[in-house]
Amino acid sequence: MTLRRLYRDNQRLILGIAGLLSVLIPWELLVRLRLVKAILISSPSQVVQTFITELQLGTLWGDITATLQVWFVGYLLAAVVGIVLGLVAGWFRRASYIANPWLNVLYAAPELAFVPMFILWFGIGFTFKVWLVFLAAIFFITINTIAGVHATEKRYLEVAATFGASKLQIFRTIVLPGSVPYIMTGLRQAAGRALVGVIAAEFISSNQGLGFLITLAGQTLNTSRVMVGIVIIAAFGVFLGEVLRRIESRFDVWRKEATA
């Protein structure tokens, strides 16, 4: 009974670990039994050893810091602009007429299509990478914020209007709080896209960062180092997604479905 309860209370964690082990163990065995060449895929044990070596050398921290700096600035900029734009476009009909075509462009065109233009505008330094991250993230934040504004229940708006509330009061006390769960969803989705954006930018132009580390290691056929970069990126993405998911869950009771 105790084991069953332990499993029930920690089902997500246990199954997640089981899923990882179901891949890592066969992967290690395939390399150790020489059924797969180590130069092509390395092995989990070798990746761990390379990670420890990189930490001891001290160069890895510089790459991690460089990537996080670009991600943070680009993501923060996208969050501020995306939330404001989404609230305005969601609340004012004419503003949505102006914003929607541009949102459709962002949805249809891949971020990498803008790379040549961004390089012409901003060069190939920090600013270029920040704007590529911004472009990768802003669509998800904006579109979810607009959805949050539109999801406001009409009965609340009608009651507020009946009691003589101004449009500003309605927006501040009803629309804005009701949009928070959707904004959090957008921020969670955009965080992963922003991470993809910064790695793509570092692939294109960088002399530091996890994307640069992976590119350089791939050119020198250092598969273990490539996997170290991939694992760090994946771990940060999983951690970030889990943190934002937990924050998002706190606002789920505010969603329209929960109050209907």
Side-chain angles (χ1 to χ4, degrees), residues 6-120:
L6 179 65
Y7 171 76
R8 186 175 63 250
D9 294 341
N10 301 277
Q11 186 177 25
R12 183 178 177 183
L13 176 62
I14 293 172
L15 292 179
I17 293 174
L20 289 174
L21 293 178
S22 67
V23 174
L24 294 178
I25 293 176
W27 175 12
E28 182 73 27
L29 291 175
L30 285 173
V31 176
R32 286 184 177 271
L33 295 175
R34 300 182 185 279
L35 298 176
V36 177
K37 292 183 179 180
I39 194 174
L40 297 177
I41 196 171
S42 189
S43 68
S45 59
Q46 186 59 47
V47 171
V48 172
Q49 182 58 49
T50 302
F51 176 71
I52 294 172
T53 302
E54 291 288 334
L55 287 179
Q56 292 173 342
L57 291 174
T59 57
L60 188 60
W61 293 115
D63 291 322
I64 294 174
T65 301
T67 296
L68 291 182
Q69 284 177 344
V70 175
W71 176 87
F72 179 77
V73 175
Y75 179 69
L76 181 63
L77 185 62
V80 173
V81 175
I83 292 172
V84 172
L85 180 60
L87 291 173
V88 172
W91 185 241
F92 298 103
R93 184 177 57 184
R94 290 184 178 85
S96 69
Y97 295 159
I98 298 173
N100 282 338
W102 290 105
L103 292 174
N104 291 331
V105 169
L106 290 177
Y107 179 75
E111 296 83 27
L112 294 180
F114 294 90
V115 166
M117 189 165 57
F118 279 6
I119 291 177
L120 287 174

Side-chain angles (χ1 to χ4, degrees), residues 137-152:
I138 189 172
F139 171 81
F140 296 93
I141 299 172
T142 304
I143 204 70
N144 277 281
T145 304
I146 292 174
V149 175
H150 290 169
T152 306

